[in-house]
Amino acid sequence: MLIDHLVYAVPDLSEVGDLGIELTEGGRHVGRGTRNLLANLGGGAYFEVIGPDRDQPEPGAPRPFGIDELTAPKLVAWAARVEDIDDVVERAKAQGYDPGPVAVTSRRRADGVLLEWRHTPMLAGPLPFLIDWGTTPHPADSLPTGAELVSFRIQGDELGTGLQALGIDVAVESGPPGLTATIRTPKGEVVIR
């Protein structure tokens, strides 16, 4: 299982600021009221900056990752890339952890290419949501290089059961739930929380 992407949620995409990372327009999540900007992190992973899309009507449900309640940008979630997501979910359930139901989502890239993926609920927190790209192009493949994920830290108590059931072997620091990424950019290293 690999880190697919890190999710940095913002209350306003026009006020992301200079993270030192070259961000590329990702696309709109029609019906969810969000759009994103992306950056390649190397190794097949990417960085997603997601926020409200003010050009869409207000969605009928809250935006994912707690975006509607944000007052400041925050590294809120991460996705673990899997193949055969249904099998991974069933194996996790058998080990005592339910990652949630699998849904299908899509968005169109700025160049018109349709991306479709399957995923478990996209919730904020230190445990990952699962994502299976199937045969669709992976977003990182079309992004310029220039940034590199140097380290990714997970913090939180009692995460072992979920991570073990998903087959993820990572160190978890004790303390309140949180995520920290260190990204090497052309302007130096940036720590994102």
Side-chain angles (χ1 to χ4, degrees), residues 85-94 96-104 118-123 127-131 162 165-166:
I85 193 169
D86 298 308
D87 181 59
V88 174
V89 167
E90 287 308 311
R91 282 187 287 128
K93 285 180 182 178
Y97 174 70
D98 185 356
V102 176
V104 178
R118 300 179 71 221
H119 60 88
T120 56
M122 296 180 289
L123 304 173
L127 286 172
F129 63 95
L130 306 176
I131 191 163
L166 293 171

Side-chain angles (χ1 to χ4, degrees), residues 5 7 9 48 50 63-68 70 76-77 122-124 129:
H5 66 280
V7 181
E48 176 183 27
I50 185 169
R63 290 175 178 88
F65 308 116
I67 288 172
D68 296 324
L70 283 177
V76 294
M122 296 180 289
L123 304 173
F129 63 95

Side-chain angles (χ1 to χ4, degrees), residues 51-72:
D53 183 354
R54 305 295 182 205
D55 294 333
Q56 286 188 53
E58 283 294 312
R63 290 175 178 88
F65 308 116
I67 288 172
D68 296 324
E69 288 80 41
L70 283 177
T71 57

Side-chain angles (χ1 to χ4, degrees), residues 5-13 15-17 19 37 47-52 64-78 123-126 129 152-153 155 176-181 183 191-193:
H5 66 280
L6 306 180
V7 181
Y8 187 65
V10 298
D12 188 336
L13 280 167
E15 298 179 10
V16 172
L19 300 172
L37 306 170
F47 183 67
E48 176 183 27
V49 179
I50 185 169
F65 308 116
I67 288 172
D68 296 324
E69 288 80 41
L70 283 177
T71 57
K74 182 177 180 182
L75 186 59
V76 294
W78 66 290
L123 304 173
F129 63 95
F152 177 60
R153 294 190 346 249
Q155 184 175 310
L179 304 169
T180 304
I183 301 171
V191 177
I192 309 271
R193 291 185 172 87

Side-chain angles (χ1 to χ4, degrees), residues 102-121:
V102 176
V104 178
T105 302
S106 65
R107 74 167 170 81
R108 198 162 292 280
R109 286 190 329 209
D111 63 5
V113 172
L114 180 66
L115 303 179
E116 296 178 294
W117 62 95
R118 300 179 71 221
H119 60 88
T120 56

